[in-house]
Amino acid sequence: MRARLLTLAVLLSAATAQDITIGVVGAEPERAAMLAAAVDAAQNMSGPPAPTAPVEPREPLAVPVHVCDQAESGVAVGVGGGAGAAAAARVGLALLLADAATSDEQRLAALDLFPHADVLAEACAALCKAKEWRQAVLLHEGSASPAPLLAPLADELVLRARQLPPPGDDDALRNLLLVLKKSGARNFIVWSGAVTAVRVLDAAQRVGLLAERHSYLLPVLDLHTETLADFSYGGANITALRLFDPESKEVRQAMTTWRAAYVERLGDAAEAQVEQIDQVVTNPPSELVLVQDVAKLMFNAAKLLRLPSLPAGDCARGRAAFHADTLLNYVRSEEDGGAGGGLAWAAGGARRTVRLHAAELARGGRLETVARWGLDAGLAWNARPPPPPLSGDVMTNRTFVILIAMNQPYVMRQLSPNRLAGNDRYEGFCIELIERLSQLLHFNYTFIEQPDGAYGTRNKTTGEWNGMMRRLMDDPGIDFAITDLSITAEREEVVDFTTPFMNLGISIMFSKPQPPEPALFAFLLPFSRGVWVGLALAYVGTSLVLFAVGRLCPEEWQNPYPCVEEPPALENQFTLGNALWFNLGAVLLQGSEIAPVAYGTRAVASVWWLFALVITSSYTANLATLLATKTSTEIIHNVRELAENDLGIEYGAKKDGSTYTFFEMSNNPLYKGMFEKMKDQKMPVSNQEGIDRVVEGNYAFLAESTTIEYTVERNCEVVMVGDQLDSKGYGIAMKKNSVYRQALNLALLNLQEAGVLRNMKQSWWKEKHGGGACQKSEERESEEMSMRNFRGLFYVLIVGCGIGVVISTCDLAWAAWRHPRDPERPFGARFWAELRFVFRFDRSVKPVRGPLLTPTPTASARSTARSATAPESGSRRSPSPRPSARSPSASLRSRSARRSSMHAASARLARHASHPRESLRDGY
């Protein structure tokens, strides 16, 4: 049994007697059935479909055998590939090449349905010239033969050819594209089939080669049959060549006829393939349209030529029908228009005079015709329709290049023990912001760092920009720029900004003032001076009232001798001294041994206690807070004090920054005067240099409030002073009239409304990278106080104790002067004796009369006393007294206490008895 790949003969009957038969030979059964349906549609299904021969797929060497079999069965025209061209020439079969011919020998006995490769190369060269390409990369499957036609002049287009890896090696393809990406390649020509072209686009998307700066030219006539939606959002310009517009009226009508023929051929099996059939009708392969057009041309040629009947060809005998050359020569000499474009061939069988459509990939995966090309007419661009309204997915699946500049905490190098690459090298507020925007808008991004870190200012003389602004304006590969980039009117003239993602203003950074020394009498702070004077007057006045009321109340005159039923006199406990002591004890919450007895004194005492309770509670409540409160020692409080200071404090802003420009362009007389001083000084070239100057002292740095807030959280030696001088914002910069501005603005507003931007600032300013280091706990600040806070109170204690000692010493001197124990001795001796007794701490009993210290007996006196008290010799000892239960020292203290108590009572009785007039005068 001979191996057969596929033989499908379709016998079609014409209305005349000179009918011809067109057969189809293919390597895939489904494709052969579709081509046979195209032949059926060419004659409007007027003849019966040909029977299908047994096939064995994927055996191309069996194709010549099938061609011979078809010729022997009476087939005059065949549809197939170039593998059967030699057999068709031998047997006299007119072959329609449904695939591109690989050699001129194949075209001699066949009719090429597709344009010659040279024609495609010339069309690509015209597009490259129109796109003003200067460099491009040719990605080919096996041969770079089109390169000379693609770049005929090396000075106009520099072409680098790279062969594509085998179809199954996707890793090698990605590595190849990565190498090209690093080399800076942006323009690509993919010379391959439709399946390979899609594979290249998929790999390019994975490595980031489908951004707006990239362009692709694909001379793939059937690219519209593939799914391209995934590659339509990256922003890359993808241009393909094709023979016809699938949405034209002629193509739609032809595919409708083909559908009916194909469904009839499949029969009941068509119900299971409805979706596949609809897909083919919507995006028809070029071969189906071309086969239908050329089959119509062949049927018309046979009808007009009225060819006689000849015996069928025979490959074994080498006999041919000889109608093949007649049909081919007639068709080549004619020009006809079909659904697939104008049909015209050169003498050698190649289809050269053809018009091609240049179609660009639009959003959603649809190819739109933008130009037409012909060998004679050249390239003609279609009038572009107005752009449609901006859709919500304008940034979806696109890759953008974002320019950044280092500045904490907006953009920083990420510290990691691992080796980082790409976007992972950076972190910061702006880095996180871009990540969140990419999640909302579904785009990809690549960061590029500004080498000099300059944001961009305009030269006053030349008008030229530098830094990030210049690069964003001139470099087509940069899409956005982000850092702490202020939105200014001058910058808005050349670039566009998004809505501010952070609002701020200019403020002053100054060295932190040292905390003041606590006041010496800080414990007096709870009350003002007037309150203290009022308290003193209230204390003295109430004491006098209590003294007078006490003397008025009879109940306060009491018996001073509880043991005497009828005392000679009564005493009043509320003397002036006792009244003062009683009120003082109430204020200090200590009380006293004096207790009012009469209703009048109790009323006065109760009112004073209530007054003392409120005053003491108020004092206690405010004391700790006021002791912990530190008085401000700031030298400057606002920008006016800074500008007019006479303390030698210098000030400045970052050189060529937005803050410096604010003072330079301001019309405020105060700010203009400050700029006149600033321009004569050397300004810091970075924020860090300005911070260092502030730390060194006697320098104020003018900067954005956000920068100062970030520094104050980490550097406890500086502080922000005064209010903000202006109001501005940070935004994302992009090229002028960018289509992405609206999408980014909406995304930023969503982040702001959701509180994401506020949480991000809290995290990067107060938590990460040492944030919050200068914040003190309020509880700790209110609890901890140093000795300096109570120094004045200790001074009062020491002075009070000293006053007590002085008063007691004076009292002792007065007693020694008025009531001498030995009047004959001088005052100095008497006072010295009193002092000596005071410091004899072993004496706890003081005699009422007589000398305080008994003279120390001599040795002879002690011996005489012993001999006088000793018993006579020979006499019997008297029995020793019974020992007392208490110790001698305890007995001595008890006797002394009794003597002291009795002496006090006796002294009082003696005083009243000896001075009756004074007693009567006192109220007895």
Side-chain angles (χ1 to χ4, degrees), residues 645-663:
N645 82 90
D646 54 356
L647 303 176
I649 301 176
E650 298 181 354
Y651 49 86
K654 180 182 176 182
K655 183 179 180 181
D656 296 333
S658 59
T659 302
Y660 186 84
T661 306
F662 166 79
F663 285 93

Side-chain angles (χ1 to χ4, degrees), residues 131-331:
K131 292 176 179 290
E132 298 182 353
W133 285 8
R134 296 293 179 263
Q135 294 181 347
V137 177
L138 174 62
L139 301 175
H140 59 88
E141 283 187 294
S143 174
S145 56
L149 292 175
L150 291 172
L153 299 177
D155 57 345
E156 294 183 359
L157 178 63
V158 178
L159 195 65
R160 291 183 292 170
R162 296 292 185 271
Q163 184 175 358
L164 294 172
D169 197 351
D170 294 337
D171 293 338
L173 177 58
R174 285 195 295 269
N175 291 336
L176 171 62
L177 295 179
L178 282 173
V179 173
L180 295 175
K181 179 182 178 181
K182 292 180 179 179
S183 66
R186 297 183 178 180
N187 304 321
F188 301 88
I189 302 175
V190 183
W191 196 272
S192 66
V195 177
T196 302
V198 172
R199 175 170 160 257
V200 171
L201 292 177
D202 181 71
Q205 186 181 43
R206 295 178 184 273
V207 300
L209 281 177
L210 280 185
E212 283 191 342
R213 61 185 180 279
H214 300 122
S215 298
Y216 290 81
L217 184 57
L218 297 89
V220 182
L221 299 180
D222 284 337
L223 188 63
H224 61 274
T225 62
E226 301 293 334
T227 303
L228 305 174
D230 294 341
F231 316 120
S232 63
Y233 302 102
N237 180 270
I238 300 176
T239 305
L241 296 178
R242 58 187 182 183
L243 291 169
F244 52 83
D245 184 3
E247 298 180 358
S248 65
K249 180 179 179 181
E250 294 80 5
V251 174
R252 289 183 179 275
Q253 184 177 357
M255 293 308 298
T256 301
T257 307
W258 173 88
R259 180 192 178 97
Y262 189 61
V263 170
E264 182 178 352
R265 177 169 291 276
L266 293 180
D268 296 337
E271 296 181 358
Q273 302 183 22
V274 174
E275 294 183 1
Q276 292 84 344
I277 295 174
D278 292 340
Q279 181 67 23
V280 173
V281 173
T282 304
N283 301 304
S286 299
E287 59 183 6
L288 296 183
V289 179
L290 294 177
V291 167
Q292 188 172 347
D293 288 346
V294 178
K296 288 181 180 180
L297 191 60
M298 284 291 180
F299 286 129
N300 293 333
K303 185 186 299 186
L304 293 174
L305 294 176
R306 297 181 178 272
L307 298 175
S309 299
L310 293 175
D314 188 354
C315 288
R317 298 179 181 180
R319 184 179 61 192
F322 294 105
H323 286 332
D325 292 340
T326 303
L327 288 173
L328 292 177
N329 290 333
Y330 177 81
V331 170

Side-chain angles (χ1 to χ4, degrees), residues 427-503:
E427 66 174 352
F429 180 88
C430 292
I431 304 300
E432 183 179 353
L433 178 60
I434 293 297
E435 175 61 25
R436 292 184 180 273
L437 291 175
S438 69
Q439 294 174 2
L440 287 177
L441 301 176
H442 308 289
F443 65 86
N444 303 317
Y445 57 90
T446 300
F447 289 124
I448 293 181
E449 186 176 346
Q450 177 71 13
D452 57 2
Y455 294 174
T457 56
R458 176 185 287 173
N459 189 294
K460 305 303 179 184
T461 304
T462 63
E464 296 292 332
W465 286 85
N466 61 2
M468 299 176 71
M469 294 292 98
R470 179 74 181 187
R471 191 168 181 183
L472 180 62
M473 294 163 53
D474 296 345
D475 193 342
I478 303 297
D479 299 299
F480 308 117
I482 186 172
T483 184
D484 53 331
L485 198 60
S486 300
I487 303 175
T488 63
E490 192 176 34
R491 290 172 177 172
E492 278 276 12
E493 295 178 0
V494 294
V495 298
D496 282 343
F497 282 94
T498 62
T499 183
F501 59 81
M502 183 177 294
N503 294 308

